[in-house]
Amino acid sequence: MKMNDSVRIDMPSWLRGFAEQLPQSLSTPELRMAVAVSLSRENLRHGSGGPFGALVVDRRDGRWLSLGVNRVEPSHCSCAHAEIMALSLAQQRLANWNLGRVASGDLELVSSCEPCAMCLGAIPWSGVRSLVCGATKEDAESAGFDEGDRPEAWVDKLQARGIAVTLGVARQDAAAVLGRYARSGQAIYNPVRP
């Protein structure tokens, strides 16, 4: 068997055109979440991955640095969640694994859904100083996704690390995309176990 010695996960081709249509600055959490939800919706519409979208934004001026969508199925990689993609692309763009050490040091992760257990672990290590979420863990699990085990006081734990957390921004819109995905017949990877 031939050994793989690299991993490459490409964003879908439609994302470039999507990015070109965005204003460079997204001044409010609501505008940022509208982009995250649009990313999740477009990923569903194009059949290019799971119904999740995320972006990294500089809170000083609202300038977005990266856009990510879920690529688990097309990339054959369980780590290819939208949040991980957005964080990784921002880290590559800024040539630093610690986003707290670059630019203003005040970068924000905006996600169409609260983080699963894996993404929750990545957030403090990424160096972002803020997290904004749309849909809830319960919304994702209602659509059939297993979000894993999170500590009950996960928000408090992030805030204790200096990471501000805002939940429920455009929750209804974000949850609607999850529901559409569940009804679409596309794969629910890592489904909730009875």
Side-chain angles (χ1 to χ4, degrees):
M1 177 180 273
K2 182 181 173 191
M3 184 185 94
N4 288 345
D5 59 1
S6 66
V7 174
R8 178 179 169 152
I9 301 171
D10 293 319
M11 289 295 99
S13 59
W14 61 262
L15 190 59
R16 184 175 303 277
F18 182 96
E20 289 170 355
Q21 299 301 312
L22 286 181
Q24 186 53 46
S25 181
L26 303 165
S27 59
T28 67
E30 293 77 17
L31 286 173
R32 297 169 192 162
M33 184 56 66
V35 171
V37 172
S38 291
L39 287 166
S40 69
R41 189 179 299 114
E42 288 300 302
N43 216 31
L44 167 59
R45 187 170 78 81
H46 289 279
S48 50
F52 302 95
L55 59 152
V56 173
V57 178
D58 189 325
R59 288 198 307 175
R60 282 178 318 166
D61 56 13
R63 184 174 50 94
W64 60 270
L65 301 173
S66 64
L67 305 173
V69 294
N70 180 285
R71 298 292 285 164
V72 169
E73 288 237 315
S75 68
H76 311 291
C77 181
S78 62
C79 297
H81 289 200
E83 299 94 327
I84 301 297
M85 297 291 86
L87 291 169
S88 298
L89 290 165
Q91 290 163 338
Q92 292 295 300
R93 179 176 179 175
L94 298 172
N96 199 317
W97 62 269
N98 186 341
L99 297 174
R101 291 187 192 161
V102 295
S104 69
D106 192 12
L107 300 184
E108 176 173 84
L109 175 64
V110 181
S111 176
S112 65
C113 189
E114 291 176 358
C116 69
M118 177 183 68
C119 294
L120 178 62
I123 290 167
W125 290 343
S126 72
V128 295
R129 292 285 157 237
S130 175
L131 171 66
V132 177
C133 302
T136 65
K137 175 183 180 183
E138 293 76 21
D139 295 329
E141 289 177 343
S142 290
F145 291 97
D146 181 352
E147 295 295 282
D149 298 324
R150 287 189 320 209
E152 226 175 271
W154 67 274
V155 171
D156 295 337
K157 291 179 185 294
L158 287 180
Q159 290 175 336
R161 289 175 171 262
I163 300 168
V165 179
T166 305
L167 302 176
V169 177
R171 176 184 176 189
Q172 188 173 9
D173 293 340
V177 177
L178 295 170
R180 263 197 304 280
Y181 185 88
R183 292 186 302 277
S184 75
Q186 295 184 53
I188 302 287
Y189 51 86
N190 292 338
V192 173
R193 307 270 186 246

